[in-house]
Amino acid sequence: MNVSTPTASAEKNKLNLTEDWTVVVLGLLIIALSLAGLVIPTPGFGWSKAGDLTGKVFTGSNLAAIAGQFAFTYAVALVGTYLLGKPVRATLLGFPVVFGLTVLALLLAGNKTLKDLNLEAVIFSLSIGLIVGNLFKIPDWLRASLSTELFVKIGLVLLGTTVIFGDILKAGSLGLVQALLVVLSVWYFAYWISRQLKVDDELTMMLASAVSICGVSAAIATSGAIQGDSKKLSYVISLVLITAIPMMLIMPYAAQAMGLSPEVTGAWLGGTIDTTGAVVASGSLAGEEALKISTIVKFSQNVLLGLAAFAISVYWTYSHKTVTGVGGEQVEKPTLGVIWERFPKFVLGFIGASLLFSFVLSPSAIEPVKGSLKSLQGLWFALAFTSIGLETNFADLINQNSRKPLYAFLIAQAFNIGVTLVIAYFLFG
């Protein structure tokens, strides 16, 4: 199954909305409802021993918060299903199952031991989905309810609320300069090495974006922009999350051994480690100043996500000699109409949300809603990866990906570590 297919993207529903426009409407509706006062409580899933489950997680107030998130996301999923012209009955039956499995993943991710390893919730969602989907026969009504594209793209629109341009600009321009240099150089190298190793086009684009921009979110956005295969997306995200762990633990001590200043250390960590959580954990090991700089640099790279998705979608359209036109005809050269038709509209939602929270809303308006929106964003991503796992045959996931994409990823990551260290040294040293 593809994260987005030309047929699905072009299919119009009764309200004349494409799938991507439906996502933009739903994402911005969630934001509008939050700003209007409908703030969904954020449940806690942190625990270290069995007693914490009853004392912290399974309390009345926390269960009520989980139920609140369920009711809200259930309603949004049903509205999205209706707008897309899909069977509402399947979502009525299937979404509670997907949500239940996702809550189990969030519980595992909340365990202190696993959390210290910085294993993100999406890897548990994907793993649980794969286990259930491969050990049991998935009924048709559950399979029909799996709305991976809808969940992923709603999460990406909400991700825009956390990318605050103002905070980054106030903190200084060096982070943005480094982010631009790193993204351009590492993306091109990752693309080049993938082509040298004859990695297929879709994996090449996802790998290059994941290594150079911001890991999981960049891989998801790129997959949406190029209408990529969800199995390949799962593979790339697994690589990102697995390699982030040793980098997070080793790099702070390597920086100390090389005698790097806290500023250079932070810039190096923020520019190379591919997940925000791992950047924060690694920066904390290196000290307060390193943590501050690493966060600024990572946020600076996140800012480039929307622009990168736009550029990738245009490149992807032009790089194929024959593409599908707006009316379904085959054309040799893409027109502006074709580019607009294939442009991932969720990027507009992402950028719009980021601009709104960066330059329009006051801090007093943002503060009451930012925690809830951040939690919902993570939940939509987790729901998406539970869905991907449920619809993916594990043997296909393993067999489809040879060692070449792994080699390409590791070589590109090594290049990323080296070139980012040089750039960080000259900018922050």
Side-chain angles (χ1 to χ4, degrees):
M1 176 192 160
N2 289 341
V3 169
S4 179
T5 62
T7 301
S9 297
E11 184 180 352
K12 301 290 179 67
N13 54 42
K14 295 177 182 178
L15 297 180
N16 204 36
L17 292 176
T18 63
E19 182 178 76
D20 269 2
W21 278 122
T22 299
V23 168
V24 172
V25 169
L26 291 175
L28 296 182
L29 177 63
I30 292 172
I31 295 171
L33 290 173
S34 296
L35 294 172
L38 183 60
V39 179
I40 308 301
T42 301
F45 293 98
W47 60 284
S48 57
K49 53 181 187 272
D52 292 339
L53 289 174
T54 54
K56 294 181 179 180
V57 179
F58 298 137
T59 63
S61 60
N62 202 58
L63 288 175
I66 295 173
Q69 282 197 337
F70 168 70
F72 186 74
T73 53
Y74 197 13
V76 173
L78 287 171
V79 172
T81 301
Y82 172 76
L83 291 177
L84 291 173
K86 294 182 179 180
V88 174
R89 182 176 180 274
T91 301
L92 276 170
L93 296 174
F95 184 87
V97 176
V98 177
F99 188 90
L101 293 175
T102 302
V103 168
L104 177 58
L106 294 172
L107 279 172
L108 290 174
N111 177 262
K112 185 178 184 304
T113 302
L114 297 175
K115 203 169 186 178
D116 289 343
L117 295 175
N118 207 58
L119 296 175
E120 298 192 21
V122 290
I123 196 67
F124 292 103
S125 298
L126 179 61
S127 300
I128 289 173
L130 284 170
I131 291 169
V132 173
N134 285 271
L135 291 182
F136 304 96
K137 179 176 173 57
I138 302 299
D140 292 339
W141 56 266
L142 179 56
R143 193 173 295 279
S145 73
L146 302 178
S147 300
T148 300
E149 303 156 47
L150 184 74
F151 299 161
V152 162
K153 292 175 182 177
I154 290 175
L156 281 167
V157 172
L158 297 184
L159 179 64
T161 65
T162 67
V163 180
I164 308 301
F165 288 83
D167 291 346
I168 297 168
L169 294 174
K170 281 189 289 186
S173 60
L174 291 181
L176 283 170
V177 173
Q178 175 178 311
L180 185 61
L181 293 174
V182 168
V183 167
L184 290 175
S185 59
V186 175
W187 194 95
Y188 180 80
F189 179 83
Y191 178 87
W192 176 79
I193 195 64
S194 296
R195 304 309 296 152
Q196 294 299 114
L197 293 173
K198 301 189 185 321
V199 177
D200 71 68
D201 290 349
E202 288 185 4
L203 267 174
T204 292
M205 300 299 284
M206 294 182 211
L207 280 170
S209 298
V211 173
S212 62
I213 307 174
C214 54
V216 173
S217 298
I220 293 171
T222 300
S223 181
I226 66 173
Q227 304 166 349
D229 190 316
S230 63
K231 295 177 185 140
K232 297 175 183 178
L233 175 61
S234 300
Y235 180 73
V236 172
I237 288 175
S238 298
L239 289 178
V240 168
L241 296 175
I242 291 170
T243 55
I245 297 170
M247 290 175 64
M248 171 190 74
L249 297 173
I250 295 171
M251 288 180 64
Y253 298 104
Q256 185 179 19
M258 289 186 286
L260 301 181
S261 69
E263 293 80 7
V264 174
T265 299
W268 187 38
L269 299 177
T272 52
I273 300 176
D274 291 321
T275 70
T276 302
V279 168
V280 172
S282 189
S284 300
L285 291 175
E288 186 175 342
E289 184 63 23
L291 173 60
K292 176 184 174 183
I293 298 297
S294 66
T295 304
I296 291 170
V297 170
K298 177 52 63 179
F299 282 173
S300 298
Q301 289 185 201
N302 291 345
V303 166
L304 299 175
L305 178 58
L307 297 176
F310 170 76
I312 287 168
S313 67
V314 174
Y315 167 78
W316 188 257
T317 303
Y318 269 101
S319 65
H320 291 71
K321 292 182 180 179
T322 303
V323 298
T324 303
V326 176
E329 73 280 5
Q330 296 295 308
V331 295
E332 286 299 316
K333 291 185 178 180
T335 63
L336 288 176
V338 172
I339 292 173
W340 174 245
E341 181 74 12
R342 297 188 61 177
F343 175 72
K345 310 303 189 301
F346 69 85
V347 173
L348 300 178
F350 171 91
I351 294 174
S354 182
L355 292 174
L356 177 67
F357 275 68
S358 295
F359 302 115
V360 178
L361 298 176
S362 66
S364 61
I366 294 173
E367 188 62 32
V369 302
K370 67 178 183 179
S372 174
L373 289 174
K374 174 69 175 174
S375 178
L376 287 172
Q377 171 227 309
L379 177 58
W380 285 113
F381 280 164
L383 288 166
F385 281 91
T386 301
S387 301
I388 289 176
L390 287 171
E391 63 189 0
T392 299
N393 184 290
F394 189 73
D396 291 343
L397 182 63
I398 298 299
N399 294 335
Q400 158 184 315
N401 300 286
S402 67
R403 296 179 181 178
K404 290 181 179 180
L406 172 62
Y407 294 155
F409 184 88
L410 294 178
I411 293 170
Q413 193 64 275
F415 176 83
N416 184 19
I417 291 171
V419 75
T420 304
L421 176 59
V422 173
I423 293 172
Y425 183 81
F426 280 102
L427 287 177
F428 291 87

